[in-house]
Amino acid sequence: MEKPIKGVYPLLNYYMPFDFENYSNLNDNYAKKKVIVAMFKEGIFRAADFMSWDIDPLLDAFNKVDKLNCHFMHTTTKKRFKGVKRYVQLETECEPGFYHYYLVVKEKNELINRHKIVTLNAFYNLFLENNRVVSESRWEDANTFVILGKKGQLERIRFEYKLNIDQITRIFNLEPDINKEEFMEEFDLATTEDLKKIEMVLTNRNTSRWHIYI
């Protein structure tokens, strides 16, 4: 346990041993989620004891987590189309090692369309470190969703999704000084769901520290 890092959003680092071999041998996503959630709870409770936090709010939060039954979905606020009743949202579906991003079109509570825009795998998390690629996502208007990458104040990469009710079009732009071939190779590793490619990345990475995300 490390002392808290002060700031606008104070951080507390707590390191725990993790049986990666046992985890990797689990074939069921539900079982993997149970392992991760159990470990997350243990870490939070140890941190609470270390910091002398009131544990009741944590128990309430974990009760709500348990009711989700390991189905983790984050949905952004609604963005309405101009002049129509339909609206769009960004959904993030979390699976062990993967984040699946969808643009969802709804009218009232009825699902009209669900467009998958990208999957990011946590095994190749260098893709997200230090704002290397993805650093911001936002709606620019009712029909345009963008994912931006930045270096300083310069946009390094821009994924632009044009949504027209039933269809979605992606426009992919890179800064001129980015080597597109090298970037696309890295992008492929960051977004692949091919377990053989992921295994190749894991065996070739010169590091002993891994991050497991849910």
Side-chain angles (χ1 to χ4, degrees), residues 45-182:
F45 286 138
R46 290 189 185 186
D49 180 64
F50 181 79
M51 297 295 294
S52 299
W53 289 335
D54 179 6
I55 203 169
D56 288 338
L58 296 174
L59 291 173
D60 180 59
F62 284 137
N63 285 335
K64 293 177 180 177
V65 168
D66 291 339
K67 288 180 181 179
L68 296 174
N69 197 29
C70 289
H71 180 249
F72 302 112
M73 177 81 76
H74 174 72
T75 304
T76 62
T77 56
K78 300 175 183 178
K79 184 77 175 180
R80 293 199 174 276
F81 288 102
K82 294 180 181 179
V84 296
K85 295 181 180 179
R86 294 180 177 180
Y87 62 88
V88 289
Q89 293 176 290
L90 177 67
E91 286 185 353
T92 307
E93 185 176 24
C94 303
E95 294 294 334
F98 297 93
Y99 294 102
H100 306 289
Y101 294 88
Y102 300 87
L103 283 181
V104 178
V105 184
K106 295 181 180 179
E107 184 171 334
K108 295 183 178 179
N109 291 323
E110 181 184 354
L111 177 65
I112 306 300
N113 276 293
R114 194 167 187 253
H115 306 276
K116 185 174 182 179
I117 58 173
V118 72
T119 289
L120 295 179
N121 67 67
F123 303 102
Y124 193 71
N125 55 306
L126 273 178
F127 185 71
L128 292 174
E129 286 182 355
N130 303 316
N131 294 334
R132 187 173 184 180
V133 178
V134 177
S135 61
E136 181 182 355
S137 58
R138 66 170 184 258
W139 292 100
E140 290 198 332
D141 57 47
N143 302 84
T144 307
F145 177 78
V146 297
I147 301 175
L148 307 174
K150 297 186 176 181
K151 181 178 181 181
Q153 298 300 313
L154 297 176
E155 293 183 359
R156 306 285 290 161
I157 177 175
R158 176 185 173 96
F159 298 88
E160 182 177 303
Y161 296 91
K162 288 291 187 181
L163 189 59
N164 183 20
I165 306 297
D166 298 327
Q167 295 183 330
I168 187 169
T169 303
R170 185 175 77 180
I171 303 169
F172 186 77
N173 295 305
L174 294 173
E175 285 288 311
D177 60 326
I178 295 179
N179 184 308
K180 186 172 183 179
E181 184 176 331
E182 290 180 0

